[in-house]
Amino acid sequence: EPEVTQTPSHQVTQMGQEVILRCVPISNHLYFYWYRQILGQKVEFLVSFYNNEISEKSEIFDDQFSVERPDGSNFTLKIRSTKLEDSAMYFCASRRLAGDVGELFFGEGSRLTVL
Amino acid sequence: RKEVEQDPGPFNVPEGATVAFNCTYSNSASQSFFWYRQDCRKEPKLLMSVYSSGNEDGRFTAQLNRASQYISLLIRDSKLSDSATYLCVVMASGGSYIPTFGRGTSLIVHP
């Protein structure tokens, strides 16, 4: 069964360092998302990506965040200068259908710990 | 006002019990509704989509009430393995199609 894969599963970094989280969405899916979940809190939307560009971003997704789809399969989230409060689980998700139908499929997540 | 609201619980029930969760949403343009299950420190996994006519999958029944803007999940004959957090997800039409999550309702099924 096709699945969304994410790497790394866990990354520990120092405050101020750059981090890149990688995702390989399901191949025939059209929409891609990054969500984050701070421990004990809700799953929060960061950004959506469709047709090779950002379609929507939340207020959390400020200038220190960026996304790319460099080669048609990988979908990356970059955090330029990490802060302590960026410590969270970051989930990549993809959705097959256009419009407002079709469920999200999630990767297993990348746990980011900023020291 | 929060977009998607759920009672965080926890709901603590014995095996075999029936338990129901509700979720309310604020955006009347919402068109797609889902229940996800999330185990501790794991990714959300789709439990079931919620259709206008209501739908059932084994011990799980989902209902949608558009007039009152809420969805519900009923779990019958609870198993220990049902212990998890149940996330309500709502997606609105007309533009960005961003699935929005509720905070989740924690269920603990005990022997």
Side-chain angles (χ1 to χ4, degrees), chain B residues 3 8 36 58 62 90 99 104 107:
Chain B
E3 292 184 55
Y36 278 74
V90 174
L107 173 66

Side-chain angles (χ1 to χ4, degrees), chain A residues 34-53:
Chain A
W34 283 101
Y35 284 83
R36 81 171 185 190
Q37 187 174 32
I38 295 169
L39 188 64
Q41 298 189 25
K42 65 184 287 188
V43 176
E44 299 176 290
F45 167 73
L46 291 178
V47 65
S48 62
F49 197 84
Y50 172 69
N51 204 23
N52 288 318
E53 60 183 22

Side-chain angles (χ1 to χ4, degrees), chain A:
Chain A
E1 183 178 308
E3 57 183 23
V4 177
T5 57
Q6 289 187 243
T7 54
S9 56
H10 188 193
Q11 180 153 358
V12 181
T13 190
Q14 295 289 327
M15 194 168 55
Q17 295 297 304
E18 176 182 282
V19 160
I20 297 176
L21 306 178
R22 293 184 168 81
C23 169
V24 180
I26 296 172
S27 62
N28 63 346
H29 282 196
L30 299 177
Y31 283 86
F32 313 116
Y33 303 82
W34 283 101
Y35 284 83
R36 81 171 185 190
Q37 187 174 32
I38 295 169
L39 188 64
Q41 298 189 25
K42 65 184 287 188
V43 176
E44 299 176 290
F45 167 73
L46 291 178
V47 65
S48 62
F49 197 84
Y50 172 69
N51 204 23
N52 288 318
E53 60 183 22
I54 290 175
S55 55
E56 191 80 29
K57 58 185 180 180
S58 72
E59 58 191 26
I60 302 169
F61 194 87
D62 60 23
D63 291 345
Q64 71 159 345
F65 289 93
S66 62
V67 288
E68 275 190 338
R69 196 156 186 246
D71 57 11
S73 60
N74 289 288
F75 178 49
T76 63
L77 174 70
K78 182 192 290 188
I79 309 174
R80 264 182 271 281
S81 176
T82 49
K83 302 194 270 285
L84 295 175
E85 54 265 36
D86 293 328
S87 294
M89 182 74 98
Y90 288 81
F91 291 111
C92 174
S94 67
R95 185 163 69 89
R96 181 171 63 91
L97 298 176
D100 59 354
V101 292
E103 62 267 24
L104 286 175
F105 291 85
F106 282 84
E108 292 187 343
S110 292
R111 181 172 302 283
L112 176 65
T113 302
V114 182
L115 302 176

